[in-house]
Amino acid sequence: MAVFRSGLLVLTTPLASLAPRLAPILTSAARLVNDTLYVHLQPGMSLEGPAQPQSTPVQATFEVLDFITHLYTGADVHRHLDVRILLTNIRTKSTFLPPLPTSVQNLAHPPEVVLTDFQTVDGSQYNPVKEQLVRYATSCYSCCPRLASVLLYPDYGTGEVPVEPLDVPLPSTIRPASPVARSPKQPVRGYYRGAVGGTFDRLHNAHKVLLSVACVLAQEQLVVGVADKDLLKSKLLPELLQPYTERVEHLSEFLVDVKPSLTFDVIPLLDPYGPAGSDPSLEFLVVSEETYRGGMAVNRFRLENDLEELALYQIQLLKDLRHMENEEDKVSSSSFRQRMLGNLLQPPYERPELPPSLYVIGLTGISGSGKSSIAQRLKGLGAFIIDSDHLGHRAYAPGGPAYQPVVKAFGTDILHKDGTINRKVLGSRVFGNKKQLKILTDIMWPIIAKLAREEMDRAVTEGKRVCVIDAAMLLEAGWQNLVHEVWTVVIPETEAVRRIVERDGLSDAAAQSRLQSQMSGQQLVEQSHVVLSTLWEPHITQRQVEKAWALLQKRLPKTHQALN
């Protein structure tokens, strides 16, 4: 069976009958399409008549909005699919609607195959129907020249679902601000301009519901606020957030695909109100259950500034049925970022100058991140650990390779009575003094690197195939040229401060000052191959480390695997 990168799914069954068989339809489509799946709703359309079917407007009702939510919820099972419900023919009840476009709509990923749930009389792949399907698809959208066509029925079957429309409507997922009860068949009102906001990190199906409802409601312009800067600080694992420009790029492509007739104003959201709090031309705001109170605050702010309230449309959260114990039970970007922990984020370095039978990991992280505990967990899994702090102690010791150069540079007053270097005195001499610190690091870092190379040779002698250099200053010292991969341990700065205060007896200010003298977690992650976090319970950390270790074994060169 051929598999296509992109496809167009044309749904012709009335929505009430379609909803209960949607899961098997999506499963059938997911077997044929492995990347982008566009969905076009045209309930009631026949592909068996002699005349070529035409795209006709679909009245935007709350039933349609609920179905859109239902479809994106069902599609979340197929996480390899980027599902996009096309909204051009879904029309709100309004007097200012432009006519349906007569030209073909361009899509970012032209479909290579068109699929449909349409049922032929005998359930066969009836060629005239498939030809009609191709003609219909190409009259609406830009498709690949050799467009394949597939009738999904009877692959998705009918045995478990009723053929007749159900009396029970889909669960209500969209709530307008009006306290008046809404019915499924109630038309949705259209507005000239509205707004929606969010972080939109790794655009997922819950985002798509929020954006799709906003696109259906808006007829001319949609303002989309994308959280940036200070609004990102409270996010879980902010170091793994996509850059603003990347989030905007993915968001813009999706919006233009689903409703190109709208003007989209995508702007950075730098405060909780954003343009929704100050733009007099806006008429509605789409929020989630979580951000509804924020929407109410926006309206209070508008009233205080003599602006009309916005109509609020609240979207229920999408449940994530496959969430892990430390993840949220909703579909969320936070969970997606957690699932990145332990994964390889960029290709490893090629290091032909390192011992050929040894694969070297550089483990780093801000002070208090739990880096050393991760090192011990890796040791338990079979890694050879090189502790750069211990190497530093060896280098400072009388007779060590750094002893005479350091005493010569900083004087004998840094020595204890027994002749050993007083590291506290030395530390106070260089702390906050960039010139003095550089003198010290110019001495120490090359010596520690040389000692680390000697430890690598010892690891080879002991038959180890993975070596971990535990070093807080790994990147600052330029030791990434000693490793194949950089692994970084991250935690929120507030948690790091708490741990440093508890562990070292420092004041909050002193702990904060220590962190400010180091590279930030964000800077470390930008140069990392694998990211881990000790923010959760120890067994969660252990699970992360075991995942990272198992994935590492799969990508170890054969020369290293042969030693196992």
Side-chain angles (χ1 to χ4, degrees):
M1 183 184 294
V3 177
F4 305 88
R5 282 181 57 84
S6 58
L8 172 65
L9 173 60
V10 179
L11 296 175
T12 64
T13 307
L15 298 188
S17 296
L18 180 58
R21 54 171 67 101
L22 188 58
I25 289 173
L26 288 173
T27 298
S28 296
R31 294 193 193 106
L32 296 167
V33 180
N34 62 10
D35 193 349
T36 307
L37 180 66
Y38 293 103
V39 179
H40 173 84
L41 297 179
Q42 196 67 78
M45 183 178 73
S46 173
L47 294 169
E48 287 188 310
Q52 180 180 325
Q54 302 293 320
S55 180
T56 56
V58 175
Q59 174 71 63
T61 62
F62 282 100
E63 179 187 38
V64 170
L65 295 187
D66 289 338
F67 181 81
I68 289 171
T69 304
H70 184 60
L71 194 151
Y72 276 125
T73 302
D76 206 56
V77 176
H78 309 287
R79 288 188 175 155
H80 68 286
L81 276 185
D82 176 5
V83 175
R84 305 181 184 189
I85 303 174
L86 302 168
L87 306 172
T88 298
N89 67 324
I90 297 176
R91 320 288 276 179
T92 56
K93 187 177 182 181
S94 177
T95 57
F96 51 84
L97 283 177
L100 279 177
T102 55
S103 59
V104 172
Q105 177 182 329
N106 289 321
L107 297 173
H109 308 279
E112 300 171 358
V113 61
V114 57
L115 320 164
T116 186
D117 63 336
F118 183 79
Q119 299 180 17
T120 55
V121 175
D122 60 358
S124 64
Q125 292 283 320
Y126 190 47
N127 280 335
V129 171
K130 294 174 71 175
E131 290 166 5
Q132 284 280 48
L133 178 62
V134 169
R135 282 195 288 268
Y136 179 74
T138 53
S139 72
C140 297
Y141 304 105
S142 61
C143 300
C144 288
R146 289 187 169 183
L147 182 66
S149 60
V150 177
L151 307 183
L152 295 178
Y153 182 83
D155 184 44
Y156 61 83
T158 57
E160 300 175 6
V161 294
V163 176
E164 296 302 317
L166 297 178
D167 293 329
V168 181
L170 284 170
S172 170
T173 55
I174 317 294
R175 295 178 186 166
S178 168
V180 179
R182 44 146 285 196
S183 67
K185 301 297 183 183
Q186 179 182 332
V188 174
R189 179 189 165 183
Y191 302 83
Y192 282 103
R193 299 175 188 86
V196 65
T199 307
F200 301 116
D201 180 48
R202 291 173 176 81
L203 197 68
H204 53 64
N205 287 329
H207 292 144
K208 292 175 184 179
V209 172
L210 201 72
L211 294 165
S212 296
V213 171
C215 284
V216 169
L217 296 173
Q219 305 309 312
E220 284 192 356
Q221 182 185 32
L222 183 64
V223 177
V224 185
V226 180
D228 198 21
K229 297 185 179 177
D230 287 351
L231 292 188
L232 302 179
K233 289 182 178 178
S234 63
K235 298 294 181 183
L236 182 68
L237 300 171
E239 302 90 350
L240 291 175
L241 279 163
Q242 291 173 315
Y244 174 82
T245 52
E246 190 175 335
R247 286 181 282 135
V248 167
E249 181 183 349
H250 294 160
L251 176 65
S252 299
E253 182 187 286
F254 173 81
L255 292 170
V256 172
D257 254 356
V258 299
K259 196 168 180 181
S261 61
L262 283 183
T263 298
F264 297 106
D265 190 8
V266 182
I267 60 172
L269 199 57
L270 303 176
D271 64 79
Y273 298 119
S278 56
D279 188 339
S281 71
L282 297 178
E283 300 167 275
F284 73 86
L285 177 65
V286 178
V287 296
S288 69
E289 288 179 82
E290 283 186 328
T291 58
Y292 182 73
R293 291 174 67 181
M296 298 288 285
V298 165
N299 271 340
R300 288 194 297 272
F301 186 76
R302 287 178 70 92
L303 290 174
E304 290 167 5
N305 290 276
D306 299 321
L307 296 174
E308 288 189 16
E309 286 185 294
L310 301 175
L312 295 182
Y313 286 80
Q314 178 186 341
I315 313 299
Q316 284 189 7
L317 299 172
L318 267 62
K319 294 296 182 184
D320 184 352
L321 301 178
R322 298 189 293 174
H323 70 279
M324 303 287 284
E325 63 175 294
N326 58 314
E327 297 174 352
E328 296 176 297
D329 63 355
K330 61 167 188 171
V331 176
S332 77
S333 301
S334 299
S335 295
F336 288 1
R337 292 194 294 277
Q338 282 178 256
R339 291 165 195 162
M340 291 172 64
L341 297 173
N343 291 348
L344 185 69
L345 303 180
Q346 57 179 312
Y349 299 130
E350 291 186 11
R351 297 291 186 224
E353 68 277 15
L354 294 180
S357 60
L358 192 67
Y359 199 81
V360 186
I361 304 295
L363 181 64
T364 191
I366 63 172
S367 184
S369 64
K371 172 177 55 64
S372 296
S373 71
I374 295 282
Q376 289 309 303
R377 294 178 188 279
L378 289 168
K379 182 179 181 180
L381 292 170
F384 183 92
I385 306 299
I386 299 174
D387 187 327
S388 64
D389 278 348
H390 290 171
L391 297 184
H393 284 297
R394 274 174 50 192
Y396 277 128
Y403 183 82
Q404 288 298 340
V406 169
V407 172
K408 183 178 180 182
F410 293 95
T412 56
D413 54 341
I414 64 167
L415 299 177
H416 286 292
K417 290 181 180 178
D418 62 0
T420 57
I421 291 174
N422 186 329
R423 296 184 69 175
K424 283 191 175 180
V425 171
L426 180 59
S428 66
R429 186 80 63 84
V430 302
F431 186 78
N433 186 323
K434 290 184 178 180
K435 185 178 179 181
Q436 292 291 299
L437 181 61
K438 186 174 187 309
I439 292 172
L440 180 61
T441 56
D442 283 351
I443 295 170
M444 293 300 300
W445 286 348
I447 289 173
I448 293 175
K450 185 173 182 295
L451 293 175
R453 287 299 299 263
E454 292 172 2
E455 288 295 294
M456 288 183 208
D457 293 337
R458 189 160 72 88
V460 172
T461 302
E462 293 183 13
K464 295 291 186 177
R465 63 188 183 127
V466 176
C467 170
V468 175
I469 302 177
D470 177 355
M473 305 301 285
L474 183 88
L475 298 178
E476 291 93 331
W479 294 338
Q480 58 265 53
N481 63 356
L482 293 175
V483 304
H484 296 93
E485 298 178 18
V486 175
W487 290 18
T488 293
V489 186
V490 297
I491 54 165
E493 192 174 294
T494 51
E495 174 64 11
V497 168
R498 187 193 68 77
R499 292 182 183 182
I500 294 168
V501 168
E502 186 178 283
R503 181 189 68 194
D504 301 339
L506 299 180
S507 66
D508 281 13
Q512 200 69 256
S513 180
R514 178 184 292 182
L515 291 174
Q516 288 169 0
S517 70
Q518 303 173 355
M519 289 177 73
S520 68
Q522 181 68 55
Q523 291 171 316
L524 294 174
V525 166
E526 286 170 0
Q527 300 182 58
S528 297
H529 299 82
V530 173
V531 176
L532 302 163
S533 179
T534 60
L535 185 57
W536 298 277
E537 292 81 0
H539 72 279
I540 301 293
T541 302
Q542 182 66 23
R543 186 190 300 156
Q544 275 180 48
V545 173
E546 289 174 358
K547 170 188 171 182
W549 182 259
L551 292 173
L552 172 65
Q553 305 312 302
K554 292 179 181 179
R555 63 179 179 269
L556 282 179
K558 290 181 180 178
T559 52
H560 302 89
Q561 292 175 340
L563 295 171
N564 193 18

